[in-house]
Amino acid sequence: MAYQAAGRTRGRRIYMNRILPAFAAFALLAAPAAFAAEQTAADRAPPSKPPSAMTPTEIKEYNVGLAETHPYYIKCRKTLEIGSLVKKIRTCYTNEKWKQVIANSSQNARETTEAFVSGAGSSSN
């Protein structure tokens, strides 16, 4: 029994000695391709037409090779249309534009809240 256990351990070592170099070689060969993809993503221009006017297939093709955090990566969100149980509105922007939209919405909400707070004491009912 002890001999069989030792044989299994030795077999695992031989197996790992063959696989580990193969993984290392693959990693070294894949690294330049990833580096090239990062360089092309950095040189990418913004989309030629508004993202909301693009089809989902066009958006997928445009996003190939871009990191999800890249400023020109296009993200779409679906929101329910008011008054409808089924219909949804698809809104697509680049990450850069989403930051602007969120900042603008936050500023509008802040201003509205301040207007209600400052005007609450002056109303008479």
Side-chain angles (χ1 to χ4, degrees):
M1 290 283 191
Y3 177 71
Q4 289 177 345
R8 286 187 194 147
T9 306
R10 190 176 68 201
R12 287 184 188 151
R13 276 191 228 136
I14 292 172
Y15 181 70
M16 289 305 291
N17 287 341
R18 290 182 185 160
I19 276 209
L20 192 59
F23 280 132
F26 176 75
L28 290 174
L29 292 174
F35 182 69
E38 287 179 18
Q39 284 182 335
T40 58
D43 299 337
R44 179 84 55 103
S48 58
K49 60 183 180 178
S52 290
M54 297 170 75
T55 65
T57 307
E58 290 174 327
I59 292 171
K60 284 180 185 177
E61 289 174 5
Y62 179 81
N63 284 341
V64 170
L66 285 177
E68 287 189 27
T69 56
H70 192 277
Y72 296 141
Y73 186 86
I74 299 172
K75 289 184 182 177
C76 296
R77 296 181 185 167
K78 290 182 181 179
T79 56
L80 291 173
E81 184 174 315
I82 296 174
S84 175
L85 298 175
V86 183
K87 191 171 181 182
K88 295 181 181 177
I89 300 171
R90 182 178 69 112
T91 307
C92 300
Y93 294 122
T94 61
N95 283 336
E96 190 175 54
K97 182 67 175 174
W98 275 117
K99 284 182 184 178
Q100 293 173 0
V101 168
I102 291 169
N104 191 20
S105 298
S106 297
Q107 182 64 32
N108 289 343
R110 232 178 276 114
E111 289 171 359
T112 303
T113 304
E114 289 172 2
F116 279 119
V117 169
S118 65
S122 63
S123 66
S124 58
N125 283 345

